[in-house]
Amino acid sequence: MAMKNIVLMVLFATSVLADNAESFVVQDIRIEGLHRVQFDEVISKIPIQIGANINVQDAANIIRSLYALGDFEDIKVLRDNNALIILVKERPTIASISFLGNKVIKEEQLRYSLDTFGVRVGAVLEQATLSNIEKEVEDFYYSVGKYNATVEVVVKPLSYNRSDLTFVFEEGLSAKIQQINFIGNEIFSDKELLSQFKLNSNASWWNFLSDNTYQKRVLVSDIEALKSFYLDRGYLKFQVNSVQVSISPDKKGVYITLWLNEGSPYVVKDVKFQGALLGREEEFQTMVPFEKGEYYNSSLVTRLEEDIKRILGEVGYAYPQVSTVPEFDSQTDEVSLIVSVQTGNRIYVRNIHFIGNHLTKDEVLRREMRQMEGSWLDAKLVDMGKIRLNRLGFFESVNVQIVRVSDSEDQVDLVYSVKEANSGSINLGVGYGTESGLSFQIGLQQNNFLGSGNRVGVNAMINDYQKNITLDYRDPFLNLDGISLGGKIFYNEFEAFEAGIVDYTNESYGANFTWGFPFNELNFFEFGMGYIHSRIGDLPSYFQVEQFLVSQAGHIDSYGSLNINDFDINISWTRNKLNSTYFPTSGNYQRIFYKMTLPGSDIQYFKVQYDIRQYIPLSRGQEFAFLMRGRIGYGNGYGETDGQDNLFPFYENYYAGGFTTLRGFSSNSVGPKAVYRDYSNSNNGFDISTNDSVGGNAIALASLELIVPMPFISTEIRNQVRTSVFIDAASVWDTEFDYRDFGADHGNQYYDYSDPLSYRVSYGASLQWMSPIGPLVFSLAKPIRIYESDDKEFFTFTIGKAF
C-alpha cells in the first residue's frame, strides 16, 4: 500500500510540474500540513535547497525521501511561481489500545506481540501493519482449531490527529477432531498408534492427557511421538509420507489422515566408536545400554550419546559433538552403529558471577561452589553448586548459565541467577481439630541474617498447654572448612493435661551448643553439649510412673515437685541428597540422632532416633513425585544408682498424633494410656480410668505420599505450591510395661495394649504454600484404623510448620 501511494504521488508530482515547466529555480520552500512532525526534520530530508534548479525527477526524489520518514500517509509536491510547495498529511498517532472478546490469547501476550510490530501507545499508526497483525492473529486461531475466529481492528479518530485502536475478537468454538486415520500401518494397529497421540477423537472425560480439540502444534508433537514409537522398536526407516488435515464445511470438525511407511525392523549388529575418544573407548563400550542382536532403540541410543557427553563434560569438554550414524545391511536387516565423538576444545572457567542476590552476600554463595575459577569446566561440579544453593533455603529458584568468553575459544564464565525468597519469616501457627480445638504459636526467624547466611531466631509458643521462648543462633561457616557453630537458650512451661497427656506440669530452662563437621558433599556430623533444669509439678500417680518416682524420691522437694539437673551430649549424622530444601522432588534424606545424659546427672538415660525421606520423580519435569518417609525412635535408662536401675523419664516419652506425626488424629493422642490403681474394684486389679496418653519409649512412623501438580495455577507460582495425597501410619509403645501382666480390665473401652501392633492409619490430602510469612499447610485427613480411645480430627490448618 505504501509503495502504491509513492508511485501515485510521484506520477501526480510529475504531471503538476510538467504542466508548469520542465524545471525552475527554487526561490522559496513551503511545507504545509505539519502538526506533530518538526519542520526542521522535514527540511533536512528534502534533497533540494533554495537556489537549486528542480525538475520532475527531483520532485519524485522529494516524495520518496519524505515517505521514508514513515510519518506521512499523503504527500503532494506543487509549484507556486518559483516557490516549491509540499503538502503533507501526517499519519495519526495511537492514543490507546484496547481488546474486546479475547479469551484464548491473554492481554499481556497481545501487547507484547503488538510491541514487536511497533504498535504501541504514542507510535505512528500504519494501516498496512494492522492488516498484517489481523492476519497473523487469525492464523494463530486456525492453528489451535478455531476456524471460525475473526479479528478486526476498529480505528476511532480523535482530535489532534490521534486514534484509538480496539481489537475486536470473535473466537468462536474450537473444531473437534472427528476422526484420525492411519494408512499403511500393518505391524501396529490403529489403537496402538493412537495411544501415542495426545490428540484423540474419543477423549474420555477422565483422561486429562488426551484432547479432542485440534491444535496444529500438538499434531506436530504427536507425529514426533509416533516416529519415536517406531524408532524405539527398530523401524529406522519409518516415515510419515504425508499428513492431510480436512475441515468440515461448518468448520466445526477436523479429519486427520496420515500415510505411513513402516519399513522393516533392524537389529543391532555392532557398535563402534570413532573420533577423539581420549583413551576411553572401553569405558564407552560398557555404557552401551543394549546387546548385540537386540532391536534398535532410538531412546537408548540417545541415552548413550547423553552419557558420553556427561562423561566428557566432567573433564572439561563442555561442547562435545556426539552423533550416531547407522550403516544398514538391508539383506539381513541389521544395522551397525558408528558413534562419532568430537570433544572440541577443553574449556576452562574464567569467572563465576552471581546475579539476583540483592540481600545475600556474594561470599555466602561463593562458598557453596565446587567448581573453581581457573580450573577446567566440570559439569558435575557446576550442577553441584546449583544443588547446594538450592539447599540453603534462601532462594525460590536457582539457575546456572555457561557463557562463552567472546575473545577466547577455551574459556567460559558461569552465571548463577537466583531469586531470593523471604528467608526472614514470621512463624505463625494455627491448628484446629474437632477434639483438640485451637492452638497458636508465633516466632521471628531470619535464616539469612543480614545476608551473611547465619541463622538468628526468636521463637515463642503460647497456647492452652505451653509457653515457650527460644533464642538460637547458627553460623554454618565458622571457617573455610565448613565447620559450623550454633547454640540456643530456652525457657519452657508445659501443662501436659491440656495437651491431651496425663496431668503434670514441667517448667524448664537450659542451653546447648553444637559444632558441625562436613564429611563430604552429602554427609554431615554434628556434636553438641547441653544443660537443662526441669521442675516437674503435679506429679502423676498412674502405675507406669510409680517406679520412676520412687527412684527419684531424693529429688522431690517439700512442695511435691521433682527437680532435675541434667548435662547431656548428643551426636548426629545427616546425609542429604535432596535436590532442594523446600519442595524437593528427588533424592534422599537420612538422619540419625543420639542423645544421652552424662554420668552424674540426676537422671541417666539415652534416646536414639532415625529419620528417612525418599523422593522418587515420576515424570521428566518432576511435577509428579512419590515420597516415602519413616521414623523409628527408642529411649531408655542406663546404669544404676544406689543399686537401682536408672529408668527412662516419663516426660521424655514419644507421642504420635497431629500434623507432624500422624494426620487425622489429635495431637499426642496415639499410644499407651494411663493405668491407675483402683482398689474399689472387686478384683483389686488395675483399670484405665481416662484416655489420657502417657506416651512410650519407642515409636515407629511411616508415610506414603503422591505429589501432584496443582491445576489452574500459573507456572510462576507453581514452584511455591505443593499438593499431595497421603497415607500415614504410626505406633507408639512402652517396651518396659505390658498391660497383660497387671490384670487390667480388658472390657474397658479405653484399653489399649502397649504393643507396636496397635498402630493407627489415616489418609487424606495436603496443600502446602511457601507464603511471604512462611510455610502454610492445609490438610484433610480421615482415620481408617482407630481405637475407641483415640481422638480423631477431620482437618488441620497450620502456618509455619516445617515440612
Side-chain angles (χ1 to χ4, degrees):
M1 181 63 73
M3 181 57 67
K4 180 179 180 181
N5 287 339
I6 293 175
V7 172
L8 292 176
M9 291 302 101
V10 169
L11 293 174
F12 178 80
T14 302
S15 63
V16 170
L17 293 179
D19 288 342
N20 291 275
E22 286 296 325
S23 64
F24 67 96
V25 176
V26 178
Q27 295 181 359
D28 188 19
I29 300 176
R30 296 199 298 271
I31 304 174
E32 299 179 5
L34 293 179
H35 300 284
R36 174 176 49 80
V37 183
Q38 298 295 317
F39 177 84
D40 292 343
E41 183 180 1
V42 177
I43 282 293
S44 67
K45 295 296 183 181
I46 296 176
I48 290 294
Q49 297 179 350
I50 294 176
N53 191 59
I54 185 172
N55 56 30
V56 174
Q57 183 61 43
D58 294 327
N61 291 337
I62 290 172
I63 292 174
R64 291 191 183 94
S65 298
L66 295 184
Y67 259 113
L69 289 174
D71 292 313
F72 306 113
E73 65 179 29
D74 192 14
I75 302 171
K76 296 178 182 178
V77 179
L78 306 174
R79 174 183 178 183
D80 183 9
N81 294 323
N82 290 328
L84 180 66
I85 311 299
I86 302 175
L87 299 178
V88 297
K89 182 180 180 182
E90 293 180 345
R91 289 194 174 101
T93 57
I94 300 173
S96 67
I97 302 173
S98 58
F99 308 95
L100 183 63
N102 57 301
K103 295 180 181 179
V104 174
I105 311 178
K106 302 302 180 184
E107 184 172 324
E108 295 79 10
Q109 295 173 288
L110 288 169
R111 291 193 182 277
Y112 176 80
S113 298
L114 291 177
D115 194 69
T116 62
F117 279 96
V119 178
R120 61 181 71 91
V121 174
V124 175
L125 176 62
E126 294 190 28
Q127 191 62 46
T129 300
L130 296 182
S131 298
N132 290 335
I133 292 173
E134 288 178 346
K135 185 178 183 305
E136 291 214 7
V137 173
E138 288 182 353
D139 287 343
F140 169 79
Y141 278 115
Y142 296 163
S143 71
V144 296
K146 291 184 176 290
Y147 292 100
N148 290 311
T150 60
V151 182
E152 181 183 1
V153 183
V154 178
V155 181
K156 181 181 178 181
L158 302 175
S159 58
Y160 304 106
N161 201 28
R162 297 174 304 135
S163 295
D164 284 340
L165 299 185
T166 302
F167 288 79
V168 181
F169 297 82
E170 291 287 343
E171 294 184 336
L173 298 175
S174 297
K176 303 297 183 181
I177 298 174
Q178 301 300 318
Q179 197 170 24
I180 300 177
N181 299 310
F182 300 98
I183 298 176
N185 55 308
E186 298 178 355
I187 306 300
F188 300 102
S189 67
D190 287 6
K191 183 178 181 180
E192 289 177 290
L193 300 185
L194 276 174
S195 67
Q196 307 302 311
F197 275 49
K198 292 181 180 178
L199 295 179
N200 200 322
S201 58
N202 298 311
S204 302
W205 65 269
W206 49 264
N207 189 353
F208 58 88
L209 294 178
S210 294
D211 190 2
N212 64 352
T213 301
Y214 174 73
Q215 296 185 57
K216 182 178 179 180
R217 61 179 179 82
V218 179
L219 177 59
V220 172
S221 174
D222 285 345
I223 292 174
E224 290 301 316
L226 184 63
K227 291 179 181 177
S228 298
F229 175 81
Y230 273 94
L231 289 173
D232 288 349
R233 288 155 180 78
Y235 294 85
L236 275 80
K237 295 187 177 182
F238 168 79
Q239 289 183 339
V240 179
N241 292 331
S242 65
V243 179
Q244 179 179 327
V245 179
S246 303
I247 313 299
S248 63
D250 60 2
K251 296 185 179 180
K252 295 181 179 180
V254 176
Y255 297 83
I256 302 173
T257 303
L258 297 92
W259 279 266
L260 311 179
N261 182 2
E262 291 181 317
S264 301
Y266 282 80
V267 298
V268 177
K269 182 178 181 180
D270 52 29
V271 181
K272 301 176 182 177
F273 295 87
Q274 65 180 24
L277 304 180
L278 305 179
R280 295 173 175 260
E281 183 174 359
E282 291 186 4
E283 180 181 0
F284 294 160
Q285 283 287 357
T286 62
M287 295 163 56
V288 176
F290 42 80
E291 300 291 337
K292 176 182 177 181
E294 292 183 359
Y295 282 112
Y296 174 88
N297 187 307
S298 177
S299 297
L300 295 181
V301 171
T302 301
R303 191 175 87 185
L304 173 61
E305 294 174 350
E306 293 301 320
D307 287 345
I308 294 174
K309 290 179 182 179
R310 175 180 54 80
I311 294 296
L312 295 175
E314 293 175 2
V315 292
Y317 298 97
Y319 305 102
Q321 300 294 324
V322 181
S323 58
T324 303
V325 179
E327 292 184 351
F328 298 99
D329 187 338
S330 299
Q331 293 183 348
T332 61
D333 287 338
E334 292 180 317
V335 60
S336 296
L337 302 180
I338 311 299
V339 182
S340 176
V341 180
Q342 301 299 325
T343 59
N345 293 325
R346 200 173 203 182
I347 305 299
Y348 294 81
V349 175
R350 185 183 66 170
N351 294 314
I352 300 177
H353 304 284
F354 304 97
I355 59 176
N357 55 315
H358 306 297
L359 172 66
T360 311
K361 297 176 182 179
D362 263 26
E363 65 187 58
V364 175
L365 283 71
R366 195 168 294 277
R367 68 194 184 193
E368 301 297 331
M369 296 295 101
R370 293 301 175 259
Q371 172 68 63
M372 297 292 103
E373 294 175 336
S375 62
W376 70 59
L377 180 67
D378 186 332
K380 186 177 182 179
L381 297 181
V382 173
D383 287 340
M384 178 58 68
K386 178 180 176 180
I387 292 172
R388 290 181 64 87
L389 291 179
N390 264 318
R391 288 176 183 166
L392 289 176
F394 302 160
F395 311 111
E396 288 183 14
S397 62
V398 179
N399 293 296
V400 60
Q401 185 178 8
I402 301 174
V403 181
R404 283 183 177 270
V405 177
S406 58
D407 57 351
S408 174
E409 294 183 355
D410 62 354
Q411 286 186 318
V412 295
D413 290 338
L414 299 183
V415 181
Y416 285 88
S417 303
V418 300
K419 182 180 179 182
E420 289 185 315
N422 187 6
S423 56
S425 63
I426 301 174
N427 194 29
L428 300 173
V430 180
Y432 178 79
T434 54
E435 299 290 339
S436 61
L438 192 67
S439 62
F440 179 75
Q441 66 179 16
I442 185 171
L444 296 172
Q445 184 161 302
Q446 174 58 261
N447 291 327
N448 188 15
F449 184 66
L450 299 178
S452 64
N454 299 339
R455 185 184 71 208
V456 177
V458 181
N459 292 282
M461 177 183 292
I462 303 174
N463 55 31
D464 291 341
Y465 58 87
Q466 188 169 12
K467 296 178 182 178
N468 173 278
I469 184 168
T470 303
L471 307 177
D472 71 285
Y473 175 82
R474 176 181 168 85
D475 183 349
F477 270 85
L478 189 63
N479 59 23
L480 294 177
D481 294 326
I483 305 299
S484 67
L485 175 65
K488 72 175 182 179
I489 57 176
F490 65 91
Y491 174 80
N492 185 62
E493 294 181 9
F494 179 71
E495 296 184 16
F497 178 75
E498 299 293 342
I501 303 173
V502 68
D503 190 18
Y504 70 89
T505 63
N506 186 354
E507 181 182 359
S508 61
Y509 58 82
N512 64 54
F513 299 92
T514 58
W515 293 265
F517 309 90
F519 185 76
N520 54 31
E521 292 295 337
L522 301 179
N523 296 280
F524 187 81
F525 292 91
E526 199 165 44
F527 175 78
M529 300 181 64
Y531 163 77
I532 182 171
H533 170 81
S534 300
R535 186 173 187 269
I536 317 297
D538 297 331
L539 294 175
S541 59
Y542 60 93
F543 185 83
Q544 293 98 316
V545 78
E546 285 184 355
Q547 193 174 0
F548 172 80
L549 294 179
V550 169
S551 69
Q552 296 296 322
H555 299 125
I556 298 177
D557 60 23
S558 59
Y559 297 99
S561 297
L562 176 64
N563 291 274
I564 299 297
N565 292 286
D566 286 333
F567 296 88
D568 65 75
I569 60 171
N570 58 78
I571 187 171
S572 67
W573 163 74
T574 303
R575 185 180 190 273
N576 188 352
K577 202 177 180 182
L578 300 178
N579 62 342
S580 178
T581 298
Y582 296 118
F583 297 160
T585 53
S586 67
N588 176 276
Y589 176 90
Q590 299 179 69
R591 186 173 188 263
I592 296 177
F593 175 80
Y594 179 80
K595 170 187 173 181
M596 66 174 290
T597 56
L598 295 173
S601 297
D602 290 343
I603 301 178
Q604 294 180 193
Y605 69 92
F606 68 90
K607 293 181 78 172
V608 60
Q609 181 172 305
Y610 172 69
D611 290 274
I612 183 170
R613 284 184 288 159
Q614 177 69 56
Y615 292 84
I616 303 173
L618 302 178
S619 61
R620 179 171 296 182
Q622 300 189 3
E623 301 90 352
F624 293 85
F626 189 61
L627 166 61
M628 298 180 292
R629 57 183 168 184
R631 172 185 297 172
I632 55 174
Y634 175 75
N636 217 328
Y638 75 91
E640 294 183 352
T641 301
D642 298 331
Q644 290 187 336
D645 290 340
N646 290 312
L647 304 177
F648 191 65
F650 65 92
Y651 53 84
E652 287 286 343
N653 275 349
Y654 292 103
Y655 297 89
F659 178 77
T660 58
T661 54
L662 182 62
R663 290 163 284 194
F665 291 84
S666 296
S667 297
N668 308 317
S669 67
V670 172
K673 310 301 179 184
V675 176
Y676 291 86
R677 294 181 180 273
D678 184 8
Y679 290 106
S680 64
N681 197 317
S682 61
N683 62 3
N684 290 332
F686 301 98
D687 200 1
I688 299 175
S689 58
T690 73
N691 65 343
D692 292 337
S693 296
V694 297
N697 68 325
I699 189 172
L701 306 176
S703 180
L704 302 177
E705 199 156 345
L706 177 63
I707 298 166
V708 298
M710 185 174 183
F712 313 118
I713 62 171
S714 64
T715 55
E716 290 78 9
I717 64 172
R718 186 163 292 170
N719 62 346
Q720 302 175 36
V721 178
R722 167 164 287 183
T723 50
S724 63
V725 292
F726 61 82
I727 297 178
D728 290 346
S731 179
V732 177
W733 68 100
D734 191 333
T735 63
E736 303 300 311
F737 181 85
D738 192 335
Y739 289 85
R740 292 168 293 190
D741 294 338
F742 296 91
D745 180 6
H746 290 201
N748 191 294
Q749 63 175 337
Y750 298 121
Y751 181 77
D752 188 2
Y753 286 114
S754 183
D755 192 309
L757 295 179
S758 62
Y759 62 93
R760 277 73 164 178
V761 180
S762 65
Y763 72 94
S766 176
L767 169 66
Q768 301 173 5
W769 173 39
M770 280 301 302
S771 73
I773 62 171
L776 234 94
V777 184
F778 178 79
S779 65
L780 290 167
K782 178 177 176 57
I784 56 176
R785 191 178 193 278
I786 60 177
Y787 287 80
E788 291 294 331
S789 59
D790 292 330
D791 290 335
K792 302 169 288 296
E793 292 187 330
F794 178 63
F795 70 85
T796 303
F797 173 64
T798 307
I799 307 175
K801 283 288 187 181
F803 292 104

